[in-house]
Amino acid sequence: MSKRKKGAFKAGFVSIIGQPNVGKSTLMNALVGERLSIITAKAQTTRHRIMGILTGEDFQIVYSDTPGVIKPKYELQKSMMRFVHSSLEDADLLLWVVDLEEKYDPTHPLIDKLLFTKIPMVVLLNKIDLASGTQVKDKVHHWRQHLEGVSVLPISALKKVNLDQVFKSILDHLPEHPPYFPADSLTDKPERFFAAEVIREKIFQNYKQEVPYSCEVVVTEFKEDEKIIRMRAEIYVERQSQKGILIGKKGAALKKVGIASRKDLEKFFDKQVHLETFVKVAADWRKKQMRLKQFGYSG
Ligand code: GDP
Ligand code: MG
């Protein structure tokens, strides 16, 4: 299949991009085989660029999961889009994820970039587990018609259908290059970051409407000894009224988030976890540069 010399190592960056909710984080987790990115049924849960690293005997793939492509309305979203743009610039391959609903749209905020990029691209038509064979065929045809020369692969990230094809096509596109990260690294982000993301996921799952979008989680303490990890997490909301909602009657709502988070954190770190949570108000933090910087969005 490939002409490369035996023993030549391949390594490169693969960026996963697309509209909110099409399954980008599900795909990255499936490809890396770990649960690195939080997944919820709500749009815009992924706020940062999250790298997932997969190293094999003769290859290393550095995936970037990105926030969905949107037209930014406030500072936080602008920063989210900077993460998207940065992962377009240094990639060796783009995985453009679309779902069954989506149609080729020339007014898509990134379509220009995608059409004229010199970076090779594969379109992944996701969620085919929800459609009939004919529907899938029609959709694949639709994308092939509009994007000449681009390969279109039907997949299901959730049911892990055709992911071996995706993997094969990634390997074909990787340049010969020594590894970028040590073989045992899983991600470029520190443990605290993932701890905060797990808690954020639980907030998305437990509250309605605007509240989760107004929350940011900062893990301010992360102390690990042989048996247990002790964590302290601060949850920031934008207004006093949201603080009340988050905590709930007699603290019941926050307790639920704490218990669910701890369960997942124990799975993630494979260790007993002690978690303390505090709710704080940071007025309008999503619009404030200083706060965004403090929360790690100065991308
Ligand atoms: P992202 O916003 O693009 O990162 O999307 P997520 O990975 O967070 O997924 C959004 C929703 O779509 C979640 O409820 C997923 O479980 C669901 N989803 C993702 N991939 C598939 C798939 O292949 N099939 C089905 N049926 N659902 C999927
Ligand atoms: Mg996501």
Side-chain angles (χ1 to χ4, degrees), residues 14-26:
V14 175
S15 288
I16 305 173
I17 50 167
Q19 307 267 42
N21 237 19
V22 292
K24 298 178 296 299
S25 297
T26 308

Side-chain angles (χ1 to χ4, degrees), residues 13 69 72 95 129 155 206 245 268 298:
F13 291 82
V69 174
L95 300 179
D129 55 294
I155 63 160
N206 279 281
I245 296 171
F268 190 89
S298 49

Side-chain angles (χ1 to χ4, degrees), residues 21 24-26 37-39 45-46 65-68:
N21 237 19
K24 298 178 296 299
S25 297
T26 308
S37 259
I38 65 172
I39 296 161
T45 42
T46 308
D65 180 20
T66 61

Side-chain angles (χ1 to χ4, degrees), residues 61-255:
I61 306 170
V62 186
Y63 293 102
S64 285
D65 180 20
T66 61
V69 174
I70 44 167
K71 288 189 178 117
K73 285 196 215 89
Y74 46 85
E75 284 298 322
L76 170 64
Q77 292 184 330
K78 279 188 202 158
S79 161
M80 284 161 64
M81 287 306 98
R82 283 196 288 275
F83 288 124
V84 176
H85 287 282
S86 71
S87 47
L88 277 179
E89 274 150 26
D90 56 16
D92 295 295
L93 176 68
L94 300 176
L95 300 179
W96 182 5
V97 185
V98 297
D99 67 11
L100 297 158
E101 320 281 291
E102 197 174 333
K103 287 202 181 82
Y104 173 81
D105 171 12
T107 67
H108 188 295
L110 274 182
I111 198 90
D112 263 4
K113 269 205 137 155
L114 288 175
L115 289 181
F116 296 105
T117 181
K118 294 203 173 69
I119 305 173
M121 177 165 72
V122 177
V123 172
L124 301 178
L125 173 65
N126 191 28
K127 307 196 186 181
I128 60 163
D129 55 294
L130 299 175
S132 71
T134 345
Q135 279 171 312
V136 172
K137 242 188 186 164
D138 287 351
K139 276 281 162 183
V140 170
H141 180 71
H142 169 83
W143 286 97
R144 286 199 178 131
Q145 232 177 356
H146 286 286
L147 301 166
E148 234 175 288
V150 175
S151 56
V152 181
L153 277 175
I155 63 160
S156 166
L158 190 69
K159 307 275 190 229
K160 302 193 166 61
V161 178
N162 272 350
L163 296 191
D164 47 344
Q165 291 295 317
V166 178
F167 182 68
K168 204 168 147 272
S169 130
I170 293 169
L171 280 189
D172 284 345
H173 283 97
L174 283 194
E176 276 185 22
H177 196 279
Y180 291 92
F181 295 92
D184 61 352
S185 28
L186 213 57
T187 177
D188 62 326
K189 290 267 190 295
E191 290 173 321
R192 278 174 198 247
F193 172 82
F194 290 100
E197 287 288 282
V198 166
I199 300 166
R200 217 158 59 73
E201 179 180 69
K202 300 305 162 223
I203 294 171
F204 265 93
Q205 289 165 354
N206 279 281
Y207 300 91
K208 287 187 210 131
Q209 289 152 12
E210 231 351 75
V211 174
Y213 295 103
S214 299
C215 288
E216 180 64 11
V217 179
V218 182
V219 173
T220 54
E221 232 179 74
F222 189 103
K223 285 192 188 140
E224 182 166 7
D225 64 31
E226 247 170 72
K227 288 211 184 89
I228 193 166
I229 308 173
R230 283 171 212 284
M231 290 181 216
R232 181 194 153 97
E234 291 177 358
I235 302 170
Y236 286 88
V237 290
E238 292 192 300
R239 288 188 298 276
Q240 194 65 34
S241 58
Q242 294 165 338
K243 184 173 171 175
I245 296 171
L246 209 69
I247 293 173
K249 254 193 200 140
K250 292 188 183 156
L254 186 62
K255 196 170 168 195

